Amino acid sequence: TPLRPGDVRQLDPDFWNHRVQPLLQPGGVQLRQRELTEWGMEPLTFTTADGLRELKPSGRRIEVSDANKEEYAQLLCEDFLIGSVRAELGCLVLGFHELIPQEQLVAHNLDAEQLRMLVCGVAEIDVDEWEGNAVVEGSRQVAGWFFDWLRKRPQEARSKLLAFTTGSSVLPSGWKGLRDPNGQLLPFRVLVQGNE
């Protein structure tokens, strides 16, 4: 799967908001080119964010326009994410595909989480520990039924549920490792609404 500009939005919102998104807006390229001219700078071309490398052959001579802004955004974001380790990542991918051919990955339509589970395995998730660290809002009896049901599920199903609710099918460092982007503890919550 090729990298998408949206991948940068998640990794570095500032780069996305100031370097990529404005260009993708209607009239954004013309506005940026006009600003660069007013500031006495060279027009925007197919070069990296630091201007040191071309994003494609003869990139320094290709000005960004409405017609090619999508390609520019794609190449710029790809370079931002993997530019400095492109050769190393290429070797890793080649080695990975020697073990698991790309055709097999495509044929089985694996998503990123399934591939991660295939490569890393499924963590043992202790439901008693899960229940003990959960914050229950509402009926504890109904929440207990949920955990009783969860105990009957195989590890893979538990991992998938954990991935669905937290974004990760493994615990980074136990239940206390679940934290928000600011580092605040983010316990697993069970919210029971309605009548029992």
Side-chain angles (χ1 to χ4, degrees):
T1 303
L3 295 171
R4 300 167 312 207
D7 296 328
V8 169
R9 180 177 41 221
Q10 290 179 319
L11 183 67
D12 190 334
D14 287 335
F15 185 83
W16 170 261
N17 290 331
H18 301 294
R19 189 67 191 245
V20 181
Q21 186 182 29
L23 297 175
L24 298 176
Q25 301 300 316
V29 173
Q30 291 88 355
L31 176 62
R32 179 58 48 92
Q33 297 291 31
R34 190 170 47 250
E35 289 172 342
L36 290 172
T37 302
E38 289 171 4
W39 299 334
M41 300 174 71
E42 296 292 320
L44 195 59
T45 61
F46 276 71
T47 56
T48 57
D50 57 14
L52 298 178
R53 296 182 313 279
E54 294 181 330
L55 295 172
K56 63 190 261 180
S58 302
R60 289 192 197 288
R61 293 189 302 237
I62 304 171
E63 283 192 27
V64 178
S65 66
D66 274 336
N68 62 19
K69 69 181 179 182
E70 298 286 336
E71 179 188 14
Y72 172 76
Q74 172 70 32
L75 293 172
L76 183 67
C77 290
E78 185 178 303
D79 181 78
F80 180 79
L81 292 172
I82 63 170
S84 62
V85 293
R86 182 178 298 276
E88 294 87 348
L89 191 58
C91 291
L92 179 69
V93 169
L94 286 174
F96 181 79
H97 286 310
E98 283 184 20
L99 298 173
I100 304 173
Q102 187 171 6
E103 300 78 33
Q104 290 296 317
L105 295 173
V106 171
H108 290 90
N109 198 26
L110 297 176
D111 64 22
E113 183 59 26
Q114 292 169 325
L115 182 60
R116 194 210 57 74
M117 289 172 70
L118 179 67
V119 172
C120 300
V122 177
E124 288 290 320
I125 299 174
D126 182 341
V127 177
D128 292 330
E129 187 180 349
W130 191 341
E131 184 175 16
N133 284 283
V135 173
V136 176
E137 298 175 24
S139 171
R140 291 207 167 272
Q141 180 182 17
V142 174
W145 294 341
F146 165 74
F147 286 108
D148 288 343
W149 170 84
L150 193 56
R151 283 182 187 86
K152 297 174 188 168
R153 311 276 28 107
Q155 286 295 333
E156 183 179 356
R158 295 176 193 174
S159 290
K160 286 181 178 180
L161 178 64
L162 185 64
F164 176 75
T165 56
T166 67
S168 175
S169 62
V170 294
L171 296 170
S173 55
W175 290 98
K176 302 293 184 209
L178 289 177
R179 300 192 174 271
D180 69 12
N182 297 322
Q184 299 297 315
L185 187 61
L186 192 64
F188 183 86
R189 294 188 182 279
V190 177
L191 174 62
V192 180
Q193 293 184 324
N195 298 328
E196 293 181 30

